[in-house]
Amino acid sequence: MNPAFGAHAASDIDGAYAWRRLAISTLLSTLGGVGMWAVVVVLPVVQAEFGVDRGDASLPYTLTMIGFALGNLVVGRFIDRFGFMWPGIIAAVVMGLGFILAALTTSVTQFALIQGVLIGAGSSATFGPLIADISHWFDRRRGVAVGVAASGNYIAGAVWPIGMQGFIISDSWRATYIGIGIICIAAMIPLLLLLRRRLPEDGHGHAQGAPSRARVQPITVSPPVLQALLVIAGVACCVAMSMPQVHIVAYCMDLGYGVARGAEMLSLMLAAGIVSRLGSGFLADRIGGIKTLLIGSVLQGLALLFYIPFDGLASLYVVSFIFGLSQGGIVPCYAIIVREYMPAAEAGRRVGVVVMATIVGMALGGWMSGWIYDLTGSYAAAFLNGIAWNLLNVSVMVFLLWRSRGFMRAPSTAF
């Protein structure tokens, strides 16, 4: 018997325990999500303390995202074999110790390596692997459950930056990092112990084998070509997406508004992203993943464009809110597209590849925006770079929409 699966009744699927598990999982995702967002908040003070330029200061974020991407694959394999609890506990301890060790670093290189190897990789358990685990406990409401669990990462982005700011100002970023590490270990381990129940043996097959979920919609490109195009689109959209998410705090500091205002805008952006992530799931059920992703990508490009002329304090709050509403649902749509146009038996592998591409795009975009800033002395060119990458994403989605047979039969409903 696979230790990830036990003998509990199939009635656990969609049952009261499943909803309790979802609540715990969302809280874990919110706690563990700090591993992805904390580095964004401390970027300006780390740059100043270590005396490096903006490109080098962006390296810790880039390595965090690389560690996050690889961790989703590695931790996911262990969870498939041993269930979620023990790999989750190990990841929580690794991430917590990573924060404590990062606070003791003496160079940006040390800081970046710890961010990637310990914090990014440890935090990954509370995203892809956690979402995969919760999907096995739901059948009828799986889309809602996955959307709620995935939103925990954005809740983290909305809550943690605000909470960190006061401690960074009153103490230091180092003391704040040590506090985060202690909180993560102390809070996450008891929650993970509540998830010791193993999956029902028949529940897993029921959740994955429903005939209604296995139907593949027609599209006139082969699965390998579709996979390649989704990887390109995933990298492109997230290079664009990373520009405000990674650099909004530093951008506000450059404009003279201060770090605290930038942290508030990041929180507002990600809070709006929670609404977008949930709403896009409902919209995709009605019009399909490609159209939903195309709408989000077009709106994301417009929001990026608005950042250039509207740099007043009030305007930036409004644009950040619009940006959050635009981009939050984009990444989950890739999983929906894979399920719509590729065999269900290949979904895990293909979704994993595309999600990893989006994380690579976030890492690349975070570094690239800092590098462009160093070259030009302004973020205007970095916003234009994000818009260019976003146009590549839009182009891929338009092409896929054109090649889908539903689009060719009914072009008036395309967009």
Side-chain angles (χ1 to χ4, degrees):
M1 179 185 294
N2 187 329
F5 304 98
H8 291 280
S11 60
D12 284 337
I13 304 299
D14 288 308
Y17 173 77
W19 290 102
R20 291 196 300 272
R21 191 178 183 97
L22 175 59
I24 296 169
S25 297
T26 305
L27 183 54
L28 281 168
S29 181
T30 302
L31 288 167
V34 68
M36 182 175 175
W37 299 111
V39 66
V40 179
V41 181
V42 302
L43 186 151
V45 291
V46 167
Q47 178 187 0
E49 179 171 325
F50 290 134
V52 296
D53 59 26
R54 190 62 53 83
D56 288 340
S58 299
L59 182 61
Y61 175 82
T62 300
L63 292 186
T64 300
M65 296 305 293
I66 292 174
F68 189 82
L70 295 176
N72 270 273
L73 298 178
V74 175
V75 178
R77 288 180 178 272
F78 282 107
I79 286 174
D80 286 341
R81 294 185 60 186
F82 304 111
F84 187 74
M85 185 185 73
W86 283 113
I89 289 174
I90 294 172
V93 171
V94 167
M95 182 179 67
L97 291 177
F99 273 106
I100 295 171
L101 292 175
L104 305 177
T105 55
T106 58
S107 71
V108 72
T109 302
Q110 294 174 3
F111 180 75
L113 288 174
I114 291 175
Q115 279 286 156
V117 176
L118 299 180
I119 297 177
S123 177
S124 68
T126 60
F127 190 63
L130 181 142
I131 292 171
D133 173 77
I134 201 63
S135 72
H136 295 313
W137 294 91
F138 288 86
D139 182 30
R140 295 187 304 274
R141 305 294 184 185
R142 187 185 303 161
V144 173
V146 168
V148 171
S151 296
N153 182 265
Y154 273 7
I155 297 173
V159 172
W160 279 104
I162 297 295
M164 289 175 61
Q165 274 305 310
F167 290 100
I168 292 174
I169 295 171
S170 63
D171 297 299
S172 68
W173 73 267
R174 294 179 183 273
T176 302
Y177 255 48
I178 291 174
I180 291 172
I182 295 172
I183 289 171
C184 288
I185 294 174
M188 293 178 69
I189 290 179
L191 290 172
L192 285 159
L193 290 173
L194 297 176
L195 303 184
R196 63 169 56 90
R197 183 178 297 191
R198 295 173 296 178
L199 289 166
E201 289 179 338
D202 54 349
H204 178 264
H206 177 64
Q208 297 295 330
S212 62
R213 299 177 185 267
R215 189 181 302 276
V216 177
Q217 297 183 26
I219 189 169
T220 57
V221 295
S222 66
V225 172
L226 177 58
Q227 178 82 81
L229 289 172
L230 291 177
V231 166
I232 293 171
V235 172
C237 81
C238 288
V239 168
M241 189 183 299
S242 68
M243 171 55 226
Q245 287 189 359
V246 177
H247 290 273
I248 189 64
V249 177
Y251 184 48
C252 285
M253 187 178 70
D254 290 346
L255 292 173
Y257 301 132
V259 173
R261 302 289 82 77
E264 290 171 358
M265 289 177 198
L266 177 62
S267 296
L268 179 64
M269 183 190 305
L270 297 177
I274 298 169
V275 177
S276 175
R277 182 155 287 184
L278 297 175
S280 293
F282 286 105
L283 183 61
D285 286 339
R286 293 179 174 273
I287 67 174
I290 293 177
K291 293 179 182 178
T292 304
L293 197 154
L294 179 57
I295 292 171
S297 188
V298 169
L299 293 176
Q300 175 176 265
L302 290 174
L304 285 172
L305 183 62
F306 291 156
Y307 271 109
I308 298 175
F310 300 109
D311 59 358
L313 183 59
S315 299
L316 284 174
Y317 278 107
V318 173
V319 174
S320 295
F321 180 73
I322 294 173
F323 182 81
L325 288 177
S326 303
Q327 58 81 31
I330 291 178
V331 172
C333 280
Y334 289 108
I336 295 172
I337 293 171
V338 168
R339 294 303 304 270
E340 287 176 341
Y341 294 99
M342 295 184 180
E346 303 174 4
R349 170 170 59 89
R350 294 192 181 277
V351 168
V353 170
V354 177
V355 170
M356 189 169 181
T358 65
I359 298 171
V360 169
M362 292 291 292
L364 176 63
W367 168 82
M368 188 180 294
S369 296
W371 176 69
I372 292 174
Y373 176 90
D374 290 335
L375 287 179
T376 64
S378 168
Y379 275 121
F383 281 117
L384 291 174
N385 176 68
I387 292 169
W389 283 90
N390 195 78
L391 287 173
L392 175 58
N393 174 263
V394 169
S395 299
V396 172
M397 289 303 112
V398 169
F399 175 77
L400 292 179
L401 194 57
W402 173 59
R403 298 306 296 265
S404 66
R405 296 183 181 179
F407 172 79
M408 290 187 286
R409 284 197 298 267
S412 62
T413 63
F415 184 51

